[in-house]
Amino acid sequence: MTTYSDWKFSITNNYHNMQKIQIVQTKVDARYEVWSTLQTVSSTVQTWQDTKFSEFDTISASAQIQTWLQTADYLRSVLPERDRILTTLDIKIDNVSKFVPLLVQLSSESVKSHHWQEIHICMSEMYDSKQALYVSHLMTSKLLQNKGTLSALGGFIYLI
């Protein structure tokens, strides 16, 4: 079977260096993967935010974030330093990953109604046990800013 390199040799009397093509192909694949991952992260986070907290799977979210972090690590080894798309991806992953440990703790059955009242106070919101609580409500900077207050709530939040 005649290969591209054989055809190049017959025309130019030089063989083609396939390593260069493989390097370029790796970079093209990485570029596609960074865009694809960025789109996946954005749409998944939006879906999470639109989910009722009672239906949110924190274990799955934690695992998904670990996968995204591993993908970003791989892409850092292939793409140029200070790649703007990869930097955007890192920021998006970081923005959501800082909330996941808190969401895991808040999903504990040990969090009672009086804890939720205190949490809403930290978010400067009124607590209504009949109102559906969405993940987007809990992914607020107010909640992270008041982590000292939250960590004092009955000792149920330890990792914040």
Side-chain angles (χ1 to χ4, degrees), residues 125-137:
E125 295 179 2
M126 294 295 294
Y127 175 66
D128 181 1
S129 62
K130 295 178 180 116
Q131 182 181 2
L133 182 65
Y134 287 84
V135 172
S136 59
H137 292 124

Side-chain angles (χ1 to χ4, degrees), residues 69-135:
L69 290 169
Q70 290 171 353
T71 300
D73 284 343
Y74 162 72
L75 292 170
R76 257 185 243 98
S77 71
V78 178
L79 295 173
E81 233 179 280
R82 298 183 193 161
D83 183 88
R84 289 177 18 177
I85 306 306
L86 183 56
T87 300
T88 301
L89 176 63
D90 285 336
I91 290 169
K92 284 193 175 281
I93 294 170
D94 184 55
N95 285 344
V96 72
S97 67
K98 63 186 170 188
F99 288 101
V100 172
L102 175 62
L103 296 176
V104 168
Q105 292 173 352
L106 292 176
S107 68
S108 168
E109 290 182 16
S110 64
V111 180
K112 305 296 182 204
S113 181
H114 64 280
H115 294 125
W116 284 112
Q117 290 172 357
E118 294 293 328
I119 290 166
H120 277 77
I121 289 170
C122 288
M123 295 187 308
S124 302
E125 295 179 2
M126 294 295 294
Y127 175 66
D128 181 1
S129 62
K130 295 178 180 116
Q131 182 181 2
L133 182 65
Y134 287 84
V135 172

Side-chain angles (χ1 to χ4, degrees), residues 19 29 35-37 46 57 62 68 72 98 103 120 130 140:
Q19 276 186 320
D29 290 346
W35 278 105
S36 176
T37 304
Q46 185 60 52
D57 185 354
S62 296
W68 293 337
K98 63 186 170 188
L103 296 176
H120 277 77
K130 295 178 180 116
T140 66

Side-chain angles (χ1 to χ4, degrees), residues 44 48 55-68 100 104:
T44 302
W48 289 349
E55 299 169 0
F56 184 65
D57 185 354
T58 56
I59 294 170
S60 175
S62 296
Q64 185 63 60
I65 288 173
Q66 290 306 314
T67 301
W68 293 337
V100 172
V104 168

